Structure formats: C-alpha cells, structure tokens
Amino acid sequence: ERYERWLIYFYGLVDPLKEREIEELCERLALNPRERDRVISGKRQADQALLQLFSWVSSNFEPKRSEIFGVLDSLSAEVKLFMMAKTTQLATRRYISIYFTQLKDTRPLLKGRDLIQMGIKPGQSEAMAHQKEADENHIRISLYDLPYRPAIAIGALPWAGP
C-alpha cells in the first residue's frame, strides 16, 4: 500500500497543536486546501481512533477482529502508521498490526449485484437484519472472529459482514 512519508512526519509535528493552530500552520506553509483538509481530518481521525483503541485497552476489553477492522479500515495508511508510531501501548500497536497483517485486504467475494442475481431482493440488507437479531440475543455473527479462515472468503455469506 502506497503512502506519503512526509505526511506521517507532519502528523507527528502537529500532534501537540490544537486544530485551529494546525489550520494556521498549514496556511503559513501555503499548503493547498486539499492538503490542509487532509492534515486536519487525518489528525482528527487518528485521535478518535486512538481514543477508541485506548478505551478497549483501559477496560480490558478484547475487541473482535471485525471491531478492529471497523475502526481502522476507513483510515488512510498515513493515519494508521502515525497511530502506530504515536502510541506507547503494546496492545494498541498489536491491534494496528493485526489490521495491517491480517485484515486490510479482507474484502467480500459477493457484492450487492451478486446477491440480486441469486434472487435476494434489494432492501434492508440481510446482514443488518441478521446482526440486529444477533445483537438482540447478545450474539455476534462474524467470520472475522473465527480462529481460522474457512474455505469461503469473509463476506461470502449475507450475514457474515464485518
């Protein structure tokens, strides 16, 4: 996965600053608006994700692989690498490492159009319906959480989403 090394270092430099101070610094450095927004939103996302990971660690909660995926997948590579460099907690580093080594390339084999071709009608997703039912019964259905990988890829079953 490609990433911009300078941005990781820049996140480190602006880490102690408040958001308004980061905006002012970006303006003084004449970063274009796209890069400025990227820096500000990336820093905000890193802080929010690290707070989530910290809450798991501090409460001795062992997250499922699907929960790790849910927190980290939408973040850019630069943000995840900055988080890895910033944290001093081994458990947080382990979660990020699990994402990079085991979860980042996980994609469903079937897409919505495949399900429609199989005769499943569009509407409320089957995964949402099954997950709601599972949540009501305090059961989590996710192939991410199995200690092994079944022959089918994650997401191949309608109820096996992240």
Side-chain angles (χ1 to χ4, degrees):
E1 184 173 353
R2 294 182 48 86
Y3 62 91
E4 295 184 51
R5 182 177 284 180
W6 75 268
L7 189 54
I8 299 166
Y9 289 113
F10 196 72
Y11 285 142
L13 289 171
V14 301
D15 186 46
L17 302 179
K18 295 178 181 158
E19 191 167 309
R20 182 63 199 141
E21 294 170 324
I22 296 171
E23 289 175 9
E24 290 172 7
L25 177 63
C26 290
E27 287 176 25
R28 293 183 87 186
L29 294 173
L31 292 181
N32 67 46
R34 186 175 120 317
E35 290 298 331
R36 186 179 317 139
D37 291 344
R38 187 173 175 200
V39 167
I40 292 167
S41 68
K43 173 69 169 64
R44 187 180 311 127
Q45 290 170 347
D47 290 343
Q48 290 170 346
L50 282 170
L51 278 174
Q52 177 64 56
L53 299 178
F54 177 75
S55 73
W56 290 341
V57 172
S58 63
S59 64
N60 291 323
F61 175 75
E62 191 62 37
K64 297 177 181 184
R65 296 160 57 87
S66 59
E67 292 168 320
I68 295 169
F69 184 88
V71 169
L72 298 176
D73 190 55
S74 63
L75 305 177
S76 70
E78 292 89 356
V79 168
K80 289 179 274 217
L81 291 169
F82 166 67
M83 290 169 51
M84 180 77 92
K86 178 180 176 176
T87 188
T88 58
Q89 296 180 331
L90 291 177
T92 301
R93 282 195 180 131
R94 185 171 53 89
Y95 298 147
I96 298 169
S97 177
I98 287 170
Y99 175 83
F100 275 118
T101 59
Q102 300 173 24
L103 303 175
K104 78 178 176 92
D105 294 323
T106 303
R107 297 290 175 254
L109 286 176
L110 298 177
K111 304 216 183 294
R113 66 179 174 271
D114 300 318
L115 296 174
I116 291 170
Q117 288 176 350
M118 292 170 51
I120 297 174
K121 294 180 181 173
Q124 182 183 18
S125 85
E126 288 291 314
M128 287 175 55
H130 285 282
Q131 190 62 54
K132 182 179 177 189
E133 180 182 325
D135 287 344
E136 289 170 0
N137 295 318
H138 305 292
I139 300 169
R140 299 291 302 202
I141 300 171
S142 178
L143 294 179
Y144 286 110
D145 303 318
L146 295 176
Y148 60 91
R149 292 286 183 200
I152 57 172
I154 302 304
L157 302 174
W159 60 86

